[in-house]
Amino acid sequence: MWQKYRERAFLKGAFLGAGTISDPEKEYRFGIVCDSPEKARFLWELFLEFDIPAKTMKRRDRYVLYLKEGELISDALNVIMRIAQPFIAGTSIVVAGISSLYSDRKS
């Protein structure tokens, strides 16, 4: 049960730390900038856990995980914003688990 909460929390942190959403008047775009292809791949795999097929590309010396379809962007925002309840009930458990999530998945 806590694994999904940890994944959502990790995605939310990644988005809050390095994410963008473009103006829907011009073009829908949701993105998270990563400093390595491994981190972009890790985020890509996490989004797939929630049936969100993100794409990645290299931009200058960074890697960007992105979504362009409005429905997928809505799904992604729903995933990362749906972690409030577990934080109220078990903040220390979730927060303690977030730091190990990336290293657990790499092995």
Side-chain angles (χ1 to χ4, degrees), residues 21-78:
I21 295 183
S22 70
D23 181 359
E25 295 287 324
K26 298 176 184 174
E27 175 185 30
Y28 286 112
R29 187 178 289 262
F30 168 101
I32 300 175
V33 179
C34 302
D35 60 1
S36 73
E38 294 82 17
K39 289 179 183 173
R41 173 74 180 195
F42 175 71
L43 289 175
W44 177 79
E45 289 174 357
L46 281 182
F47 274 110
L48 278 181
E49 292 285 326
F50 296 97
D51 298 320
I52 300 172
K55 297 180 181 176
T56 59
M57 68 178 206
K58 184 174 181 181
R59 184 182 302 151
R60 294 182 222 118
D61 61 339
R62 303 279 187 211
Y63 298 84
V64 180
L65 176 124
Y66 69 95
L67 301 166
K68 291 176 90 174
E69 296 176 33
E71 186 175 333
L72 291 177
I73 293 170
S74 177
D75 291 347
L77 291 174
N78 282 328

Side-chain angles (χ1 to χ4, degrees), residues 1-2 6 10 23 40 46 50 62 73 76 87 89-90 97 103 105:
M1 175 177 100
W2 286 107
R6 291 182 353 172
F10 192 92
D23 181 359
L46 281 182
F50 296 97
R62 303 279 187 211
I73 293 170
F87 273 157
S103 58
R105 295 277 244 165

Side-chain angles (χ1 to χ4, degrees), residues 3-16 46 50 79-80 83 87 94-95 98 101:
Q3 181 66 19
K4 285 294 181 194
Y5 294 129
R6 291 182 353 172
E7 291 170 355
R8 288 174 196 266
F10 192 92
L11 290 171
K12 184 174 187 172
F15 177 71
L16 291 175
L46 281 182
F50 296 97
V79 164
I80 65 177
I83 64 169
F87 273 157
V94 175
V95 172
I98 292 171
L101 180 62

